[in-house]
Amino acid sequence: MLNGFKFFKIALVGVLLACSVSMFGQIKVERIEPSCWWVGMKNPNLQLLVKGNDLQGAQVEIKGEGLRLLQIEKAENPDYVFLDLNIAPEAKPGKYILTFKKGKQKMVRTYELFARKQGSAERNSFNASDVVYLLMPDRFANGNPKNDNIEGLAEKANRTIDGGRHGGDIQGIIDHLDYLKDLGITAIWSTPLLEDNEPTFSYHGYATSDYYKIDGRYGTNEDYRRLADECHKRGLKLIMDMVPNHCGIAHWWMKDLPAQDWIHQFPTYTQSNFRASSINDPYASENDRMLNSDGWFDRSMPDLNQRNPQMLNYLRQYAIWWTEYAGLDGLRVDTYPYNDKLKIAEWTKGIINEYPNLNMVGECWQHRQSEIAYWQAGTKNYDGYESGLKSVMDFCFHDQVANAFNEDNQGWDQGMVRFYSNLTSDYLYANPLNMFVFTENHDTQRFTTSINSDVKKYKLAYTLLFTTRGIPQVYYGFEIMMGGDKGKGDGDIRRDFPGGWIGDTRNAFIEAGRTSVENEVFNYIRTLLNWRKNNPVVQFGKLKHYVPEDNVYVYFRYDDHKRVMVVLNDKNESKTISTARFSEMLNGYSSGRDILTGNVIKLNEQVTVPGKTGLILELE
C-alpha cells in the first residue's frame, strides 16, 4: 500500500499481438512490455516487463533462433518478473514462442520481432532549418467525433469546461497538415498523446497511464503511425513529447507496483520544491536537490525512481519503441531538470546510441543562461556533468519578449536591448543554433494578450523570432493572433482552434473564416515562414548584431553565399538610421531587397523604417 493514496481502478489489458494461449492452473501472463521489438538494433539486449499472477519461480523457455534468454530477474512483487533477452545478429523477423512454466502450470505467449525500416538508425531530425508548430491535440481539431468518449476512460468530452476534454484528436491533425504546410511549418510537436486516464484535466496528457498506448480519445497506435506517415509525405517532421519524470496516479501499475521503490515515496505527500537551480548550484544542500528530483510533480503525478535499474530500462525502451514504431523525427522531453540528473543522462545517451542523428529538446524552464546551458550536451560544466541532451529551450529569450515589446523607449536594460543582451551570453551554450526560441507555449501567457492584441508589435516580434538564431517554436493559433489569459487558468491559453469542430460558427483554417486582422497576420506569417524555409543563411548562417540605439535593433545573418540585414524599429515613430555604422557588414553591398514587398532599398547613406516595423533585406 502507498501511504493512504487513493488509486483509480483501471482494467488491465493485454498489449501483445494476438497469440495462441494454453493455460493450466493459476499462472497467468497478463501483460508484456514492450509488446514487440526489432532485429538489428545497436543494443542487442532487451528487458521485458512481465505482469501476471504468481510469476515468481516460473521457468521461461524461448523457441526461435536468435532470441536468447540471459536471465530472469525477480521483482519484489511476485506478480512480476523481468526477462533479460539477447537478440543475436542472426535473429530473423518473426514470431517467437515464450513458454512460462511453474510446476504443471503452463502459459504460452508469442513475441514478435520486426525488421527495421531502411535507414532507421541514421534518420534525420529537426534542426535550425525547421519551424516547430506546438499544438494541443484536444484543442486543435476534432476529426473523429466517434472517439470523443471511450468506455474505460474516465473523463468524457465537454467543451463547456475550460479544463475538460474537448474532443480534438489525431485525425483532426491529419486533416489540417496541408494547412500547416502551406503556412510554412516544417515540424509538429504535439503535447502527449499517450493514455491519460485521470478523472479530470486529462486533456493535457502529462499524467501517463499507459506508456505503450495512444489515448483512445485521440485514436489508436496505428493512427499515430499514420500521422507520422502523412507528415513525411508532406515533408513535415513529427516530434513526440515524452515524460520520463513522472507518470499518472491512474497508471495501471500504481495499484500493484513491481517494487516499492518503483516510484519515490515519503511518509506523507511530498511535492517537488521545483528548484531546478539546486542541481547546478555548487552550494546546494543534498536535501534541496533531493526534493527537486524526487518530490512528486503533483498529487496526481507520482515521481518515477530512475535509480531503479529496471525502471530506467523501462523508460529508455519505451522512448526507443515509439521512435522505431512511429518513425519519429525527434523527441521533446518534459521537465528535464526534475529527473535524477545522472540517470536522465543515461536515458538520453541510450536513445542517442540507437539514433545518433536524433535531436532531443529538453524543457529546462530556468531563467539564467548559465542554468539552461548546464543541460545542453557539450557544455563545459564546472562539475563535469554531461547530459547528452542536444537541444534546450531558450526561456531567457521568452522572458524578454512580453517586456521588450511593451517598452517603447530604450533604457539601459529595456526595450530592444533585452534581446541584444540575451545573445551576448551565447558563449555559455555549446550550440546556440540548436535551441528553441519562442514567444509562448502551452504553459505561458499568450503573447497576443501580453501585448494587448497590438498587430504592429505582434508582427515585429515574429520578424525577430524567424530571423534570430535558433529553432523557432510557435504555438497553435499564433498565426491568427489567438489570445488567452494565463490568469484565468490554463484552459484559457489552450482554447479550441475556431473551425476545428463541426458546428463551429466560423472556420479560421480558411481565409473566408478569418477576420481581416487575422488574415493580415496570417499572410504576414506565411510570407515570412515560406521565405525562411528556402534560405539557409537565416537558418544556419552566422549572426552579427549591433547595440540597439533608440530602440532600433540591427543585425545580420550571413554565410559565404548570402547576407541578410534585419532592422527592428520598436519606436512608435519612424526612424532614419545611418548605414555608415554597419560598413563592416555592408562592404560591397549597395542595396537590399525587402523580402515582404520586393522593393529595392538603397543602402548608401541611410534607411528609414516606420514605427513598430521590421525590415528584412536580402543584400545585393
Side-chain angles (χ1 to χ4, degrees):
M1 300 299 294
L2 299 179
N3 304 309
F5 286 118
K6 181 179 180 181
F7 302 127
F8 303 105
K9 301 289 187 179
I10 59 174
L12 288 172
V13 293
V15 295
L16 290 170
L17 298 170
C19 62
S20 171
V21 179
S22 59
M23 182 175 65
F24 307 92
Q26 297 301 309
I27 187 173
K28 292 181 181 179
V29 175
E30 299 167 337
R31 182 184 290 259
I32 300 179
E33 293 182 341
S35 60
C36 62
W37 205 249
W38 292 266
V39 298
M41 303 295 280
K42 186 173 293 186
N43 180 358
N45 295 329
L46 175 67
Q47 185 174 83
L48 300 184
L49 176 152
V50 182
K51 170 69 170 70
N53 180 66
D54 194 26
L55 292 174
Q56 294 290 318
Q59 300 299 309
V60 181
E61 296 177 355
I62 300 178
K63 184 178 180 181
E65 185 178 355
L67 183 62
R68 184 164 62 98
L69 177 64
L70 299 178
Q71 67 172 337
I72 302 173
E73 294 187 27
K74 294 181 178 180
E76 181 181 301
N77 184 332
D79 290 336
Y80 290 83
V81 292
F82 293 87
L83 305 184
D84 292 340
L85 307 179
N86 176 267
I87 305 171
E90 65 269 18
K92 304 295 183 185
K95 295 181 179 180
Y96 292 74
I97 305 300
L98 277 61
T99 303
F100 296 80
K101 295 180 179 179
K102 190 170 185 180
K104 295 183 179 180
Q105 303 171 44
K106 181 172 71 171
M107 190 169 198
V108 177
R109 289 283 192 179
T110 59
Y111 195 83
E112 190 158 8
L113 298 179
F114 292 94
R116 304 180 74 182
K117 288 184 178 180
Q118 186 174 4
S120 176
E122 293 77 27
R123 69 186 61 207
N124 292 320
S125 195
F126 66 89
N127 54 39
S129 70
D130 290 301
V131 173
V132 179
Y133 192 89
L134 163 61
L135 58 83
M136 298 202 76
D138 183 66
R139 306 302 171 87
F140 186 63
N142 188 351
N144 180 14
K146 293 180 180 179
N147 64 20
D148 288 358
N149 300 304
I150 297 292
E151 185 177 354
L153 296 179
E155 192 172 12
K156 308 305 178 185
N158 188 341
R159 290 183 73 191
T160 67
I161 303 174
D162 277 353
R165 295 196 78 98
H166 291 187
D169 52 30
I170 292 173
Q171 187 59 51
I173 303 172
I174 293 173
D175 291 344
H176 295 95
L177 291 179
D178 289 333
Y179 163 85
L180 294 176
K181 182 179 180 180
D182 174 68
L183 180 62
I185 299 300
T186 63
I188 296 171
W189 154 31
S190 162
T191 52
L193 285 157
L194 297 182
E195 184 186 274
D196 182 338
N197 202 19
E198 299 301 309
T200 57
F201 297 99
S202 66
Y203 75 94
H204 60 69
Y206 287 97
T208 308
S209 55
D210 192 326
Y211 279 97
Y212 284 93
K213 186 178 182 182
I214 294 293
D215 193 297
R217 292 159 294 193
Y218 294 136
T220 64
N221 287 11
E222 292 76 17
D223 287 332
Y224 185 68
R225 183 157 59 180
R226 185 164 55 91
L227 169 63
D229 290 342
E230 292 297 327
C231 283
H232 296 156
K233 288 177 184 177
R234 295 164 173 82
L236 302 173
K237 300 172 184 177
L238 184 62
I239 301 167
M240 191 176 200
D241 201 331
M242 296 205 160
V243 192
N245 179 68
H246 52 267
C247 67
I249 202 77
H251 195 286
W252 63 265
W253 64 42
M254 286 303 299
K255 67 177 182 180
D256 191 26
L257 290 170
Q260 291 303 298
D261 71 346
W262 195 248
I263 63 172
H264 289 117
Q265 299 190 57
F266 301 85
T268 58
Y269 173 73
T270 302
Q271 193 170 47
S272 172
N273 59 12
F274 303 112
R275 292 290 181 178
S277 58
S278 66
I279 304 303
N280 52 293
D281 175 4
Y283 309 115
S285 71
E286 288 306 314
N287 184 65
D288 286 343
R289 288 175 176 160
M290 181 276 295
L291 286 175
N292 176 78
S293 299
D294 295 1
W296 287 27
F297 200 79
D298 186 84
R299 287 184 180 274
S300 63
M301 299 178 183
D303 198 76
L304 301 176
N305 179 17
Q306 296 150 0
R307 291 187 287 275
N308 178 312
Q310 294 161 341
M311 168 59 81
L312 187 62
N313 262 335
Y314 184 94
L315 294 171
R316 177 181 56 82
Q317 290 178 168
Y318 114 84
I320 292 171
W321 191 91
W322 280 108
T323 303
E324 193 73 22
Y325 172 82
L328 297 175
D329 304 292
L331 306 179
R332 181 263 185 185
V333 189
D334 186 59
T335 57
Y336 200 88
Y338 297 136
N339 295 274
D340 180 284
K341 79 171 188 177
L342 298 179
K343 296 304 178 183
I344 196 61
E346 285 186 38
W347 179 83
T348 303
K349 294 170 186 176
I351 299 166
I352 298 300
N353 180 59
E354 289 291 351
Y355 308 101
N357 301 324
L358 191 75
N359 208 352
M360 301 169 63
V361 59
E363 180 197 29
C364 304
W365 197 339
Q366 296 176 268
H367 304 284
R368 296 185 182 91
Q369 289 91 343
S370 57
E371 292 178 332
I372 298 172
Y374 183 84
W375 299 102
Q376 189 177 32
T379 300
K380 304 300 182 184
N381 287 315
Y382 76 95
D383 58 358
Y385 179 68
E386 170 55 65
S387 70
L389 181 71
K390 296 181 182 181
S391 178
V392 289
M393 295 179 169
D394 191 352
F395 275 93
C396 291
F397 177 93
H398 164 267
D399 292 345
Q400 306 306 326
V401 167
N403 290 325
F405 289 104
N406 280 316
E407 295 166 343
D408 298 330
N409 298 305
Q410 180 180 321
W412 180 257
D413 57 357
Q414 293 178 321
M416 288 292 99
V417 79
R418 291 179 179 272
F419 301 112
Y420 171 87
S421 297
N422 184 59
L423 290 174
T424 62
S425 295
D426 267 12
Y427 63 88
L428 294 168
Y429 299 113
N431 188 357
L433 283 176
N434 199 18
M435 298 177 65
F436 273 24
V437 285
F438 57 100
T439 65
E440 59 185 0
N441 65 25
H442 60 298
D443 289 321
T444 70
Q445 179 73 300
R446 278 280 191 176
F447 182 59
T448 300
T449 302
S450 296
I451 58 171
N452 198 28
S453 302
D454 189 307
V455 174
K456 288 186 176 181
K457 292 180 180 179
Y458 198 82
K459 291 160 71 173
L460 188 62
Y462 281 99
T463 303
L464 168 64
L465 185 72
F466 298 144
T467 56
T468 192
R469 63 94 177 107
I471 305 170
Q473 173 254 296
V474 295
Y475 184 38
Y476 80 101
F478 90 104
E479 67 273 25
I480 57 168
M481 283 190 75
M482 187 181 286
D485 187 354
K486 177 78 170 177
K488 295 180 180 179
D490 285 344
D492 202 54
I493 60 172
R494 301 166 181 175
R495 298 176 183 176
D496 296 346
F497 194 101
W501 279 253
I502 296 173
D504 280 2
T505 57
R506 68 188 185 99
N507 182 6
F509 286 112
I510 61 175
E511 182 177 2
R514 296 189 286 264
T515 67
S516 59
V517 170
E518 288 173 344
N519 272 316
E520 177 186 351
V521 171
F522 181 91
N523 291 330
Y524 186 86
I525 295 294
R526 181 170 58 180
T527 299
L528 277 180
L529 289 185
N530 281 286
W531 169 80
R532 187 186 192 279
K533 184 190 300 185
N534 297 304
N535 277 276
V537 65
V538 81
Q539 302 164 3
F540 301 106
K542 298 177 182 178
L543 185 148
K544 189 176 291 292
H545 65 169
Y546 293 77
V547 178
E549 292 183 348
D550 200 16
N551 228 17
V552 177
Y553 184 28
V554 178
Y555 55 93
F556 294 79
R557 301 299 303 275
Y558 64 103
D559 57 23
D560 292 339
H561 307 288
K562 192 171 186 177
R563 291 191 183 186
V564 172
M565 179 182 185
V566 183
V567 184
L568 303 178
N569 177 14
D570 198 26
K571 295 286 287 185
N572 284 316
E573 63 272 9
S574 293
K575 295 292 295 182
T576 298
I577 60 173
S578 169
T579 58
R581 184 183 178 212
F582 315 114
S583 58
E584 174 185 4
M585 295 301 297
L586 292 178
N587 184 31
Y589 297 92
S590 59
S591 63
R593 185 176 298 276
D594 184 339
I595 67 110
L596 292 167
T597 66
N599 295 335
V600 175
I601 297 176
K602 298 296 184 182
L603 299 172
N604 295 332
E605 295 182 0
Q606 58 189 27
V607 174
T608 299
V609 184
K612 299 295 180 184
T613 300
L615 184 64
I616 304 173
L617 299 176
E618 293 182 322
L619 300 188
E620 299 176 345

